[in-house]
Amino acid sequence: ENVQGEIGMEHVTFGYLENQPVLKDISLHAKKGQKIAFVGSTGAGKTTITNLLNRFYEIWEGKITIDGVDIRENGLESLRENIALVLQDTHLFTGTVMENIRYGRLDAADEEVIAAAKTANADAFIRRLQNGYDTVLEGDGANLSQGQRQLLNIARAALSKAPVLVMDEATSSVDTITERQIQEGMDALMKDRTTFVIAHRLSTIRNSDMIMVLEHGRIIERGTHTELLQRQGRYYELYTG
Ligand code: M5T
Ligand code: MG
């Protein structure tokens, strides 16, 4: 199959508990390769949007499509193949760095894994580890810094050929150098993929094709960075506040 990665959401309503909707009537469209950013206060529903795109939960109303096809029509396996994830909490397992990046792409040769790590800006720190790519990570990467875990996550996503990328930026702070490395890795990752990005630092999403401002489960503003600043609404408040 040749998935382009167009994403549609039509009148999506969903809640985790009965009668308590968390997302209300969300509609949006992302063309192939576009970068869509979600911003808004904590609890606004940003992570929930990505949970639904991944079918971690079933929606109450409306539909979500990839290339015009309802995501409920294709199996979960095809969905997993078409969406690469960089989530807030990294999922690393006890095994080598090489194995952790290769996760889900068992066919990938070592060279391909290393190339992905380079794309993700992770190669340099990996080579400085005691045993480089053969360094064994303790459960959930306990022997790495948070920034390093994030870089491994980006490397894993870089190895994936999925046309859609979902990134939920980690909230906790990392040092400025690592932050720049993460940003560069993510920029490389987004190239040519349709991307949903949840950013906690507004500076990282200025160049998005569309920014969605969520408030209490609704999209209250949408537009480019420049448009939203001119509007002097909620985004302007968040940005200048
Ligand atoms: C939106 C509730 C949460 C909040 C609302 C993920 C999750 C969320 N919620 C649950 O009840 N169960 C869950 O598993 O849904 O939450 P969110 O989508 O996580 O918000 P956010 O991503 O915009 O917030 P943040 O803090 O990551 O910026 O009422 O309790
Ligand atoms: Mg969140």
Side-chain angles (χ1 to χ4, degrees):
E1 71 201 300
N2 212 338
V3 175
Q4 301 294 305
E6 285 214 11
I7 301 170
M9 291 196 172
E10 285 173 38
H11 304 293
V12 171
T13 294
F14 167 80
Y16 296 92
L17 301 172
E18 219 179 320
N19 298 321
Q20 291 181 39
V22 160
L23 290 179
K24 299 154 197 157
D25 198 24
I26 300 290
S27 293
L28 59 89
H29 189 83
K31 295 200 191 91
K32 171 182 158 59
Q34 278 191 328
K35 178 178 170 188
I36 311 293
F38 296 89
V39 302
S41 333
T42 179
K46 306 180 294 294
T47 295
T48 303
I49 289 196
T50 63
N51 282 345
L52 297 184
L53 178 60
N54 281 296
R55 269 189 75 191
F56 293 155
Y57 299 89
E58 297 298 329
I59 58 179
W60 291 357
E61 281 167 46
K63 72 171 174 178
I64 301 176
T65 59
I66 294 184
D67 291 359
V69 180
D70 194 314
I71 59 171
R72 288 170 290 205
E73 277 176 34
N74 291 323
L76 279 179
E77 206 171 314
S78 123
L79 196 65
R80 300 283 167 268
E81 263 170 38
N82 287 317
I83 304 180
L85 300 174
V86 179
L87 299 182
Q88 277 175 314
D89 43 339
T90 51
H91 298 283
L92 301 172
F93 53 86
T94 305
T96 64
V97 168
M98 185 70 83
E99 288 163 350
N100 266 278
I101 299 175
R102 182 179 280 125
Y103 171 90
R105 274 287 318 280
L106 297 177
D107 61 301
D110 287 4
E111 293 71 33
E112 217 184 327
V113 174
I114 293 167
K118 283 184 175 153
T119 301
N121 237 339
D123 178 72
F125 101 77
I126 294 169
R127 286 182 192 280
R128 283 195 305 268
L129 296 174
Q130 185 121 51
N131 294 306
Y133 282 86
D134 297 323
T135 305
V136 174
L137 301 180
E138 304 306 328
D140 235 356
N143 45 344
L144 295 179
S145 77
Q146 211 240 327
Q148 291 170 333
R149 289 201 293 270
Q150 191 74 0
L151 287 172
L152 286 189
N153 226 13
I154 295 171
R156 187 187 277 171
L159 190 60
S160 144
K161 293 182 169 139
V164 176
L165 173 67
V166 170
M167 301 199 297
D168 202 344
E169 197 177 77
T171 27
S172 31
S173 56
V174 293
D175 63 87
T176 347
I177 295 170
T178 312
E179 184 178 320
R180 185 159 4 111
Q181 287 174 336
I182 289 175
Q183 187 55 47
E184 285 170 7
M186 286 185 169
D187 287 345
L189 209 54
M190 285 186 282
K191 203 175 160 292
D192 301 326
R193 304 193 212 219
T194 312
T195 304
F196 273 23
V197 55
I198 298 168
H200 295 280
R201 288 178 293 264
L202 294 183
S203 59
T204 66
I205 54 148
R206 247 177 288 185
N207 62 348
S208 303
D209 296 292
M210 182 73 81
I211 297 169
M212 307 282 177
V213 185
L214 276 174
E215 205 66 74
H216 303 303
R218 286 184 196 278
I219 298 174
I220 57 162
E221 285 175 9
R222 67 178 83 194
T224 61
H225 173 75
T226 313
E227 286 164 357
L228 291 177
L229 280 190
Q230 275 167 1
R231 195 188 158 106
Q232 303 211 353
R234 184 76 183 110
Y235 181 79
Y236 179 85
E237 264 175 36
L238 289 169
Y239 195 77
T240 54

